[in-house]
Amino acid sequence: MPELPEVETIKNDLRGLVVGAGIERAELRDERLVEEPSPEDFVRGLGGVRITGARRRAKHLVVELSSGEALVFQLKIGGQLLLVPPVEEPTRNVMLVLYLDDGRRLFLRDQTEFSRARLLGPEGLEDRLAGLGPEPFSDEFTVGYLRERIGTRRAQIKPLLLDQKVVAGIGNIYVDEILFDARIHPRRRASTLSAEEWARLHAAIRRNLAAGIEHRGTTVRLYRDVLGRPGEHQNHLRVFEREGEECPGCGGRVVRERVGGRGTYLCPVCQPEDGGKGDQSLPLEVESREGEG
Ligand SMILES: [Zn+2]
Protein backbone atom coordinates (compact mmCIF):
# COMPACT_ATOMS: atom_id res chain seq x y z
CA MET A 1 0.00 0.00 0.00
CA PRO A 2 1.63 3.26 -1.07
CA GLU A 3 2.38 5.45 1.94
CA LEU A 4 4.40 8.65 2.06
CA PRO A 5 7.76 7.17 0.91
CA GLU A 6 6.20 5.31 -2.02
CA VAL A 7 4.14 8.27 -3.26
CA GLU A 8 7.18 10.49 -2.79
CA THR A 9 9.23 8.11 -4.97
CA ILE A 10 6.57 8.09 -7.69
CA LYS A 11 6.39 11.90 -7.55
CA ASN A 12 10.17 12.19 -7.93
CA ASP A 13 10.09 9.73 -10.84
CA LEU A 14 7.38 11.77 -12.56
CA ARG A 15 9.46 14.94 -12.14
CA GLY A 16 12.44 13.28 -13.75
CA LEU A 17 10.68 11.37 -16.49
CA VAL A 18 7.30 12.83 -17.36
CA VAL A 19 6.99 16.50 -16.36
CA GLY A 20 7.22 18.61 -19.51
CA ALA A 21 5.53 16.02 -21.71
CA GLY A 22 2.17 16.64 -23.31
CA ILE A 23 -0.87 14.39 -22.98
CA GLU A 24 -2.44 13.83 -26.39
CA ARG A 25 -5.44 11.98 -25.04
CA ALA A 26 -6.67 9.88 -22.17
CA GLU A 27 -8.32 6.49 -22.34
CA LEU A 28 -10.47 5.68 -19.33
CA ARG A 29 -10.74 1.90 -19.13
CA ASP A 30 -12.46 1.67 -15.75
CA GLU A 31 -14.91 4.43 -14.85
CA ARG A 32 -14.75 3.51 -11.17
CA LEU A 33 -11.38 5.27 -11.09
CA VAL A 34 -12.95 8.71 -11.46
CA GLU A 35 -14.48 10.37 -8.40
CA GLU A 36 -14.96 13.75 -10.09
CA PRO A 37 -15.88 15.32 -12.47
CA SER A 38 -17.94 13.05 -14.77
CA PRO A 39 -15.96 10.41 -16.70
CA GLU A 40 -16.62 12.37 -19.91
CA ASP A 41 -15.32 15.64 -18.48
CA PHE A 42 -12.38 13.82 -16.90
CA VAL A 43 -11.27 12.41 -20.26
CA ARG A 44 -11.92 15.71 -22.04
CA GLY A 45 -9.88 17.66 -19.46
CA LEU A 46 -6.89 15.37 -19.98
CA GLY A 47 -6.69 15.80 -23.75
CA GLY A 48 -4.22 18.29 -25.28
CA VAL A 49 -2.65 19.46 -22.04
CA ARG A 50 0.94 19.56 -20.83
CA ILE A 51 2.18 18.06 -17.56
CA THR A 52 3.76 21.01 -15.78
CA GLY A 53 4.56 19.60 -12.38
CA ALA A 54 4.18 16.79 -9.86
CA ARG A 55 3.88 16.97 -6.11
CA ARG A 56 2.77 14.94 -3.15
CA ARG A 57 0.51 15.86 -0.24
CA ALA A 58 0.03 13.09 2.34
CA LYS A 59 -0.65 10.00 0.21
CA HIS A 60 -2.13 12.05 -2.65
CA LEU A 61 -0.18 12.30 -5.89
CA VAL A 62 -0.87 15.62 -7.61
CA VAL A 63 -0.07 15.96 -11.33
CA GLU A 64 -0.22 19.61 -12.39
CA LEU A 65 -1.48 20.44 -15.87
CA SER A 66 -1.08 23.41 -18.22
CA SER A 67 -4.85 23.90 -18.11
CA GLY A 68 -4.53 25.00 -14.47
CA GLU A 69 -6.25 21.83 -13.34
CA ALA A 70 -4.63 19.05 -11.30
CA LEU A 71 -4.96 15.31 -11.76
CA VAL A 72 -5.02 13.87 -8.25
CA PHE A 73 -4.44 10.16 -7.63
CA GLN A 74 -5.01 8.14 -4.52
CA LEU A 75 -3.25 4.85 -5.14
CA LYS A 76 -4.88 3.22 -2.09
CA ILE A 77 -3.86 -0.45 -1.80
CA GLY A 78 -2.42 -1.59 -5.11
CA GLY A 79 -2.26 1.37 -7.46
CA GLN A 80 0.72 1.57 -9.81
CA LEU A 81 1.57 4.44 -12.12
CA LEU A 82 3.70 2.96 -14.88
CA LEU A 83 5.51 4.61 -17.76
CA VAL A 84 5.83 2.24 -20.68
CA PRO A 85 7.54 2.61 -24.03
CA PRO A 86 5.53 2.73 -27.27
CA VAL A 87 6.06 -0.97 -28.06
CA GLU A 88 4.58 -2.27 -24.85
CA GLU A 89 1.01 -3.56 -24.97
CA PRO A 90 -1.53 -2.69 -22.29
CA THR A 91 -1.65 -5.23 -19.51
CA ARG A 92 -4.57 -6.35 -17.39
CA ASN A 93 -6.05 -4.22 -14.61
CA VAL A 94 -5.31 -0.97 -16.43
CA MET A 95 -7.79 1.67 -15.30
CA LEU A 96 -6.40 4.66 -17.22
CA VAL A 97 -3.98 5.24 -20.09
CA LEU A 98 -2.47 8.65 -20.78
CA TYR A 99 -1.02 8.82 -24.31
CA LEU A 100 1.95 11.18 -24.21
CA ASP A 101 2.93 13.26 -27.25
CA ASP A 102 6.36 11.55 -27.48
CA GLY A 103 4.84 8.09 -27.97
CA ARG A 104 5.18 6.94 -24.38
CA ARG A 105 2.19 6.02 -22.29
CA LEU A 106 1.45 6.39 -18.62
CA PHE A 107 -0.70 3.58 -17.21
CA LEU A 108 -2.66 3.56 -13.98
CA ARG A 109 -2.80 -0.13 -13.15
CA ASP A 110 -4.45 -1.55 -10.04
CA GLN A 111 -5.39 -5.17 -9.60
CA THR A 112 -7.28 -4.29 -6.40
CA GLU A 113 -9.22 -1.60 -8.33
CA PHE A 114 -9.37 0.69 -5.32
CA SER A 115 -7.32 3.51 -6.85
CA ARG A 116 -9.19 6.76 -7.37
CA ALA A 117 -8.57 9.89 -9.40
CA ARG A 118 -9.96 13.40 -9.54
CA LEU A 119 -9.49 16.26 -11.99
CA LEU A 120 -9.72 19.42 -9.93
CA GLY A 121 -9.41 23.16 -10.39
CA PRO A 122 -7.40 25.22 -7.90
CA GLU A 123 -10.30 25.62 -5.46
CA GLY A 124 -11.32 22.00 -5.66
CA LEU A 125 -7.73 20.95 -5.01
CA GLU A 126 -7.46 23.21 -2.01
CA ASP A 127 -10.71 21.84 -0.60
CA ARG A 128 -9.57 18.30 -1.23
CA LEU A 129 -6.29 18.74 0.64
CA ALA A 130 -7.68 20.93 3.43
CA GLY A 131 -7.83 19.28 6.80
CA LEU A 132 -4.83 17.05 6.28
CA GLY A 133 -2.32 17.16 9.09
CA PRO A 134 1.20 18.53 8.65
CA GLU A 135 3.79 16.83 6.48
CA PRO A 136 6.24 14.92 8.70
CA PHE A 137 9.23 16.77 7.25
CA SER A 138 7.69 20.24 7.53
CA ASP A 139 8.79 22.82 10.10
CA GLU A 140 5.26 22.70 11.49
CA PHE A 141 5.67 19.06 12.54
CA THR A 142 7.52 19.32 15.84
CA VAL A 143 7.50 17.32 19.05
CA GLY A 144 5.49 20.17 20.54
CA TYR A 145 2.90 19.95 17.77
CA LEU A 146 2.50 16.22 18.26
CA ARG A 147 2.06 16.53 22.03
CA GLU A 148 -0.33 19.43 21.71
CA ARG A 149 -2.40 17.71 19.03
CA ILE A 150 -2.84 14.28 20.63
CA GLY A 151 -0.98 14.32 23.97
CA THR A 152 -4.11 14.43 26.10
CA ARG A 153 -5.98 11.81 24.09
CA ARG A 154 -6.75 8.51 25.74
CA ALA A 155 -7.02 6.76 22.37
CA GLN A 156 -4.41 4.19 21.35
CA ILE A 157 -1.31 5.69 19.76
CA LYS A 158 -1.32 3.55 16.60
CA PRO A 159 -4.74 4.63 15.26
CA LEU A 160 -3.89 8.23 16.13
CA LEU A 161 -0.76 8.08 13.97
CA LEU A 162 -2.78 6.59 11.10
CA ASP A 163 -5.24 9.51 11.29
CA GLN A 164 -4.28 11.71 8.33
CA LYS A 165 -5.61 14.77 10.17
CA VAL A 166 -2.96 14.27 12.88
CA VAL A 167 0.04 13.69 10.62
CA ALA A 168 0.05 13.14 6.86
CA GLY A 169 1.31 10.10 5.01
CA ILE A 170 1.73 7.28 7.55
CA GLY A 171 0.05 3.93 6.86
CA ASN A 172 0.01 0.44 8.30
CA ILE A 173 3.55 -0.61 7.36
CA TYR A 174 5.53 2.39 8.52
CA VAL A 175 3.47 2.91 11.67
CA ASP A 176 4.51 -0.49 13.05
CA GLU A 177 8.15 0.21 12.22
CA ILE A 178 7.94 3.68 13.77
CA LEU A 179 6.44 2.41 17.02
CA PHE A 180 9.00 -0.40 17.23
CA ASP A 181 11.81 2.08 16.62
CA ALA A 182 10.41 4.36 19.35
CA ARG A 183 9.89 1.34 21.66
CA ILE A 184 6.25 2.25 22.22
CA HIS A 185 3.49 -0.38 22.28
CA PRO A 186 0.88 0.38 19.57
CA ARG A 187 -1.91 0.03 22.15
CA ARG A 188 -0.48 2.64 24.53
CA ARG A 189 -2.87 5.47 25.18
CA ALA A 190 -1.42 8.74 23.93
CA SER A 191 -2.04 10.47 27.27
CA THR A 192 0.33 8.03 29.01
CA LEU A 193 3.40 8.84 26.89
CA SER A 194 6.29 10.58 28.63
CA ALA A 195 8.14 13.62 27.25
CA GLU A 196 11.00 11.33 26.31
CA GLU A 197 8.65 8.99 24.47
CA TRP A 198 7.12 11.85 22.47
CA ALA A 199 10.60 12.91 21.41
CA ARG A 200 11.51 9.33 20.47
CA LEU A 201 8.26 8.98 18.52
CA HIS A 202 8.77 12.20 16.59
CA ALA A 203 12.34 11.23 15.69
CA ALA A 204 11.24 7.71 14.71
CA ILE A 205 8.53 9.06 12.38
CA ARG A 206 11.05 11.14 10.45
CA ARG A 207 13.80 8.51 10.55
CA ASN A 208 11.64 5.66 9.24
CA LEU A 209 9.92 7.68 6.52
CA ALA A 210 13.28 9.11 5.40
CA ALA A 211 14.73 5.60 5.21
CA GLY A 212 11.73 4.50 3.16
CA ILE A 213 12.34 7.33 0.70
CA GLU A 214 16.07 6.56 0.62
CA HIS A 215 15.26 2.95 -0.30
CA ARG A 216 12.70 4.01 -2.93
CA GLY A 217 9.74 2.58 -1.04
CA THR A 218 8.58 -0.69 0.45
CA THR A 219 7.37 -3.49 -1.79
CA VAL A 220 5.67 -6.18 0.25
CA ARG A 221 3.31 -7.00 -2.62
CA LEU A 222 2.15 -4.56 -5.26
CA TYR A 223 4.10 -1.34 -4.98
CA ARG A 224 6.26 -0.44 -8.00
CA ASP A 225 7.96 2.76 -9.09
CA VAL A 226 7.15 4.53 -12.37
CA LEU A 227 9.52 2.23 -14.27
CA GLY A 228 7.93 -0.87 -12.74
CA ARG A 229 10.73 -1.60 -10.28
CA PRO A 230 10.09 -2.72 -6.68
CA GLY A 231 11.42 -0.67 -3.78
CA GLU A 232 14.05 -1.95 -1.36
CA HIS A 233 12.86 -0.85 2.05
CA GLN A 234 11.14 -4.21 2.64
CA ASN A 235 14.67 -5.54 3.21
CA HIS A 236 15.06 -3.14 6.12
CA LEU A 237 11.77 -3.78 7.95
CA ARG A 238 12.28 -4.98 11.51
CA VAL A 239 8.81 -6.09 12.62
CA PHE A 240 6.26 -5.68 9.83
CA GLU A 241 5.12 -9.13 8.61
CA ARG A 242 7.98 -10.73 10.58
CA GLU A 243 5.77 -12.62 13.03
CA GLY A 244 7.73 -15.37 14.81
CA GLU A 245 11.07 -14.04 13.63
CA GLU A 246 13.81 -12.77 15.87
CA CYS A 247 13.43 -9.23 17.22
CA PRO A 248 16.49 -7.23 16.12
CA GLY A 249 16.29 -5.32 19.38
CA CYS A 250 16.27 -8.05 22.04
CA GLY A 251 16.46 -11.40 20.28
CA GLY A 252 12.91 -12.27 21.39
CA ARG A 253 10.06 -13.00 18.99
CA VAL A 254 8.03 -10.57 16.93
CA VAL A 255 4.30 -11.11 17.46
CA ARG A 256 1.19 -10.16 15.49
CA GLU A 257 -1.81 -8.69 17.27
CA ARG A 258 -4.85 -6.69 16.28
CA VAL A 259 -4.77 -3.04 17.28
CA GLY A 260 -7.49 -0.63 16.22
CA GLY A 261 -8.79 -3.30 13.84
CA ARG A 262 -5.47 -3.56 12.01
CA GLY A 263 -2.95 -6.40 11.92
CA THR A 264 -0.04 -5.11 13.97
CA TYR A 265 3.52 -6.36 14.41
CA LEU A 266 5.53 -5.63 17.54
CA CYS A 267 7.98 -6.94 20.08
CA PRO A 268 6.29 -7.27 23.48
CA VAL A 269 9.67 -7.05 25.23
CA CYS A 270 10.99 -3.92 23.47
CA GLN A 271 7.51 -2.36 23.44
CA PRO A 272 5.93 -3.22 26.82
CA GLU A 273 2.18 -2.59 26.81
CA ASP A 274 2.31 -0.84 30.18
CA GLY A 275 5.21 1.32 29.08
CA GLY A 276 7.35 -0.43 31.68
CA LYS A 277 5.45 1.25 34.51
CA GLY A 278 3.08 -1.49 35.67
CA ASP A 279 -0.56 -2.11 34.78
CA GLN A 280 -2.78 0.73 33.65
CA SER A 281 -6.43 -0.19 34.13
CA LEU A 282 -8.12 2.81 32.55
CA PRO A 283 -11.01 2.03 30.17
CA LEU A 284 -10.18 2.15 26.48
CA GLU A 285 -11.38 5.00 24.34
CA VAL A 286 -13.03 3.54 21.27
CA GLU A 287 -12.59 5.54 18.10
CA SER A 288 -13.33 5.07 14.46
CA ARG A 289 -10.46 5.31 12.07
CA GLU A 290 -10.79 8.48 10.11
CA GLY A 291 -8.95 9.81 7.15
CA GLU A 292 -7.19 6.57 6.39
CA GLY A 293 -6.56 6.46 2.66
ZN1 LIG B 1 12.53 -6.97 21.16
Side-chain angles (χ1 to χ4, degrees), residues 29-30 90-97 107-110:
R29 295 164 64 107
D30 188 337
T91 53
R92 289 181 306 157
N93 310 118
V94 174
M95 301 179 85
L96 175 71
V97 185
F107 284 32
L108 189 288
R109 181 170 73 180
D110 186 352

Side-chain angles (χ1 to χ4, degrees), residues 6-230:
E6 291 74 43
V7 182
E8 182 75 10
T9 303
I10 293 169
K11 179 265 287 178
N12 288 335
D13 282 357
L14 289 181
R15 283 187 178 176
L17 296 166
V18 175
V19 168
I23 302 173
E24 277 184 349
R25 64 184 180 93
E27 181 189 355
L28 182 62
R29 295 164 64 107
D30 188 337
E31 293 196 350
R32 289 171 299 177
L33 176 70
V34 181
E35 294 276 9
E36 60 178 309
S38 68
E40 295 75 20
D41 286 343
F42 180 86
V43 168
R44 196 174 303 129
L46 289 173
V49 295
R50 187 156 297 279
I51 298 173
T52 55
R55 61 191 180 96
R56 179 193 59 74
R57 178 70 172 101
K59 302 175 199 169
H60 296 77
L61 179 67
V62 180
V63 179
E64 296 165 331
L65 304 172
S66 56
S67 59
E69 292 189 305
L71 173 58
V72 182
F73 289 109
Q74 285 178 282
L75 301 174
K76 303 278 180 149
I77 295 173
Q80 303 168 340
L81 201 60
L82 300 169
L83 185 65
V84 300
V87 291
E88 196 158 325
E89 289 303 310
T91 53
R92 289 181 306 157
N93 310 118
V94 174
M95 301 179 85
L96 175 71
V97 185
L98 300 178
Y99 292 87
L100 305 182
D101 57 6
D102 55 14
R104 298 178 301 168
R105 287 168 292 172
L106 199 55
F107 284 32
L108 189 288
R109 181 170 73 180
D110 186 352
Q111 68 184 60
T112 71
E113 299 170 338
F114 287 119
S115 287
R116 293 295 176 261
R118 292 174 169 81
L119 189 62
L120 300 170
E123 280 181 19
L125 180 63
E126 198 176 317
D127 287 350
R128 182 70 205 159
L129 303 180
L132 289 167
E135 287 291 324
F137 296 105
S138 68
D139 292 343
E140 186 188 351
F141 184 70
T142 61
V143 182
Y145 162 81
L146 203 51
R147 284 190 78 169
E148 192 166 308
R149 183 74 172 76
I150 57 174
T152 60
R153 300 282 296 274
R154 286 170 63 189
Q156 296 169 347
I157 190 66
K158 174 170 173 173
L160 286 173
L161 295 177
L162 291 173
D163 182 346
Q164 301 297 298
K165 296 191 296 304
V166 172
V167 55
I170 301 174
N172 203 46
I173 296 174
Y174 289 92
V175 72
D176 284 0
E177 294 293 313
I178 287 165
L179 288 168
F180 173 78
D181 190 12
R183 303 196 302 284
I184 295 170
H185 194 287
R187 217 177 267 130
R188 287 280 300 284
R189 282 178 286 278
S191 58
T192 70
L193 268 59
S194 68
E196 190 195 334
E197 286 173 322
W198 284 113
R200 285 210 306 264
L201 180 60
H202 178 268
I205 288 170
R206 285 188 164 172
R207 183 162 50 236
N208 284 269
L209 295 175
I213 295 168
E214 173 75 24
H215 298 133
R216 297 186 55 81
T218 301
T219 300
V220 290
R221 275 173 282 280
L222 297 174
Y223 167 71
R224 297 290 184 276
D225 70 14
V226 169
L227 296 179
R229 303 170 298 194

Side-chain angles (χ1 to χ4, degrees), residues 180 247-253 267-271:
F180 173 78
C247 167
C250 70
R253 294 289 157 197
C267 171
V269 176
C270 295
Q271 299 162 271

